[in-house]
């Protein structure tokens, strides 16, 4: 376990306002000198957690959970103390002398670096000469350049390049294959997402863990291809756009839950930022736990087909049982509705 200097800890503690930091994760309501919130550490339905800006501590009067700004972030995110210091420092704009040491706390550091590098390669491809047709395809379907940039949309070229590009970077073939980026056979290394527009998938902390590939030429099947299940990418633990939407969700005190990543991208592109997508219609225990931490009103807006309607009928009782306030948007009542998941090409 790497160490963090006491000097850095003190610097961050003196710079951080516990109300601002905790307010980034849960909704706080001022009451007298303190702020109150529904406690995220037990089944709480009434605000029982007090946050004191004077003492810079929080305390739940029901479950007894208490601590400072680092304690809260550590327990809320399920990370180490050093990682919590790093997260708080980042939120407060504090540069740490031991930042490189802290980064080593990430046990998947090399994998995260690799996925970020691959994402940059895909983004560069989209804006290179060979990406002109794919870029035009996205633009013709209403995605503005700002949206393409915000969601880091990229392109895998019609050739196998990842192995050759990355072999000098000390990333082994096994890691590339294990993360679902290439397939290896006796003769060559094949890019998994060859000739597809790519939408990066991030975990709840914002690390790239996988991709959704969408064909833009009619002769490629299947139309959509997701990263296989890996030790980084677990479909049931992912909520697309969660890391981007978190602030807007807390600001609006409302989360719109949709079915696919393009639904989230489309809504976000017209200013509806508090939107998160499932990777399909299933809603897992891990995803529900992530949503519970936000402590906000939940609106279901799944597809207007049998699968979407059946999913809503299945999800609503589970969500109500977990204490959610749930409403439903019936897409069939909104008039003509483009198939967001198909990039709007099914008029």
């Amino acid at each position: 376990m790497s160490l963090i200097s006491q000097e850095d800890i003190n610097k961050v503690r003196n710079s951080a306002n516990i109300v601002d930091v905790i307010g980034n994760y849960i909704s706080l309501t001022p009451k007298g000198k303190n702020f109150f919130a529904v406690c995220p550490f037990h089944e709480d339905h009434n605000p029982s957690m007090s946050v004191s800006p004077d003492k810079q501590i929080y305390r739940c009067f029901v479950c007894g959970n208490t601590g400072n700004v680092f304690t809260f972030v550590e327990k809320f995110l399920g990370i180490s103390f050093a990682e919590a210091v790093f997260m708080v420092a980042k939120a407060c704009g504090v540069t740490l002398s031991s930042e490189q040491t802290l980064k080593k706390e990430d046990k998947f550091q090399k994998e995260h670096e690799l996925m970020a590098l691959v994402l940059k390669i895909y983004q560069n491809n989209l804006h290179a000469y060979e990406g002109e047709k794919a870029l035009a395809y996205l633009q013709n379907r209403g995605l503005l350049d700002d949206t393409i940039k915000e969601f880091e949309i990229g392109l895998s070229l019609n050739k196998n390049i990842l192995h050759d590009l990355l072999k000098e970077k000390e990333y082994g073939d096994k890691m590339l294959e294990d993360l679902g980026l290439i397939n290896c056979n006796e003769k060559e290394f094949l890019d998994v997402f060859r000739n597809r527009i790519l939408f990066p998938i991030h975990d709840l902390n914002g690390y790239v863990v996988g991709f959704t590939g969408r064909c833009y030429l009619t002769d490629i099947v299947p139309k959509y291809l997701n990263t296989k299940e890996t030790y980084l990418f677990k479909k049931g633990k992912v909520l697309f756009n969660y890391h981007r939407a978190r602030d807007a969700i807390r600001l609006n005190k409302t989360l719109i839950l949709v079915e696919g990543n393009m639904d989230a991208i489309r809504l976000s592109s017209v200013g509806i930022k508090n939107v998160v997508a499932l990777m399909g219609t299933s809603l897992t225990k891990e995803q529900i736990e992530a949503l519970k931490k936000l402590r906000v009103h939940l609106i279901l807006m799944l597809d207007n087909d049998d699968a979407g309607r059946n999913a809503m009928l299945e999800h609503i009782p589970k969500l109500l049982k977990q204490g959610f306030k749930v409403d439903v948007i019936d897409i069939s009542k909104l008039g003509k509705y483009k198939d967001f998941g198909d990039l709007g090409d099914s008029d």
Side-chain angles (χ1 to χ4, degrees):
M1 177 69 69
S2 56
L3 299 176
I4 177 171
S5 70
Q6 189 62 48
E7 180 183 357
D8 270 342
I9 294 172
N10 293 338
K11 182 164 63 172
V12 178
R13 181 185 289 117
N14 293 334
S15 300
N17 184 314
I18 194 170
V19 173
D20 293 339
V21 174
I22 293 182
N24 285 329
Y25 297 99
I26 60 176
S27 297
L28 295 175
T29 302
K31 187 177 180 181
K33 292 183 178 181
N34 296 334
F35 289 74
F36 284 81
V38 173
C39 178
F41 303 118
H42 76 281
E43 289 294 333
D44 192 14
H45 301 289
N46 296 305
S48 61
M49 176 180 284
S50 172
V51 181
S52 170
D54 293 337
K55 298 179 181 178
Q56 289 293 298
I57 61 171
Y58 73 91
R59 181 178 181 182
C60 176
F61 296 104
V62 175
C63 70
N65 203 298
T66 187
N68 59 24
V69 64
F70 303 132
T71 314
F72 180 89
V73 174
E74 180 182 359
K75 292 180 178 178
F76 187 86
L77 296 180
I79 58 180
S80 70
F81 175 78
E83 288 173 311
V85 175
F86 179 65
M87 294 287 288
V88 176
K90 185 177 179 181
C92 299
V94 175
T95 301
L96 302 177
S97 60
S98 52
E99 183 169 329
Q100 291 304 315
T101 301
L102 285 173
K103 287 182 178 179
K104 293 177 183 177
E105 290 290 324
D106 177 10
K107 65 179 179 179
F108 295 125
Q109 179 188 3
K110 200 168 186 66
E111 287 90 342
H112 289 150
E113 289 175 352
L114 170 59
M115 296 298 282
L117 179 56
V118 170
L119 174 58
K120 289 298 182 185
I121 292 172
Y122 289 151
Q123 287 181 287
N124 290 339
N125 289 343
L126 183 64
H127 296 282
Y129 172 76
E130 293 172 285
E132 287 183 352
K133 289 184 179 180
L135 185 59
Y137 177 91
L138 291 170
Q139 293 169 337
N140 289 339
R141 279 153 182 77
L143 292 188
L144 301 177
D145 290 344
D146 286 348
T147 301
I148 293 171
K149 181 178 180 180
E150 178 184 1
F151 285 89
E152 304 169 289
I153 299 172
L155 174 70
S156 181
L157 300 179
N158 190 24
K159 51 188 175 183
N160 301 307
I161 63 171
L162 284 185
H163 172 262
D164 289 342
L165 284 176
L166 297 171
K167 66 182 179 181
E168 303 297 332
K169 300 287 186 180
E170 299 181 357
Y171 298 112
D173 298 339
K174 187 176 188 306
M175 181 181 291
L176 289 168
E177 188 170 23
D178 287 348
L179 295 180
L181 298 171
I182 66 172
N183 288 323
C184 303
N185 61 33
E186 294 179 357
K187 296 181 179 180
E188 57 186 338
F189 302 95
L190 305 174
D191 286 16
V192 168
F193 294 104
R194 179 170 168 158
N195 215 17
R196 291 177 181 273
I197 291 171
L198 293 176
F199 304 88
I201 302 168
H202 299 75
D203 66 14
L204 302 184
N205 293 317
Y207 291 112
V208 180
V209 293
F211 295 92
T212 293
R214 204 274 190 206
C215 68
Y216 63 102
L217 301 174
T218 56
D219 59 347
I220 301 177
V221 292
K223 181 184 291 186
Y224 287 98
L225 182 65
N226 287 322
T227 295
K228 67 180 182 180
E229 291 271 315
T230 71
Y231 57 96
L232 281 190
F233 175 57
K234 303 291 185 185
K235 186 176 178 179
K237 295 184 178 181
V238 169
L239 288 165
F240 181 83
N241 200 44
Y242 181 95
H243 70 294
R244 289 191 193 90
R246 200 156 36 196
D247 289 345
I249 290 167
R250 294 190 181 103
L251 181 64
N252 289 276
K253 295 181 170 54
T254 302
L255 182 152
I256 301 173
L257 187 65
V258 296
E259 190 169 313
N261 53 9
M262 276 310 303
D263 299 25
I265 292 172
R266 287 291 195 182
L267 289 173
S268 181
S269 72
V270 295
I272 302 173
K273 301 294 185 181
N274 54 325
V275 57
V276 167
L278 299 168
M279 298 288 294
T281 58
S282 63
L283 183 60
T284 66
K285 178 182 177 182
E286 291 86 354
Q287 290 168 331
I288 290 175
E289 286 300 314
L291 295 174
K292 279 176 66 177
K293 289 181 178 180
L294 296 171
R295 298 289 182 178
V296 294
H297 177 198
L298 185 62
I299 298 176
L300 293 180
M301 185 178 164
L302 304 186
D303 287 356
N304 185 36
D305 55 18
D306 288 343
R309 287 189 291 270
N310 290 337
M312 282 193 283
L313 291 174
E314 177 187 344
H315 298 337
I316 289 172
K318 291 193 296 185
L319 292 167
L320 292 175
K321 187 176 180 180
Q322 292 296 321
F324 285 93
K325 178 183 177 183
V326 182
D327 281 320
V328 173
I329 293 178
D330 185 353
I331 294 172
S332 66
K333 305 296 184 184
L334 297 180
K336 185 178 180 182
Y337 172 68
K338 283 185 177 295
D339 181 1
F340 290 162
D342 207 27
L343 281 174
D345 54 359
S346 58
D347 283 345

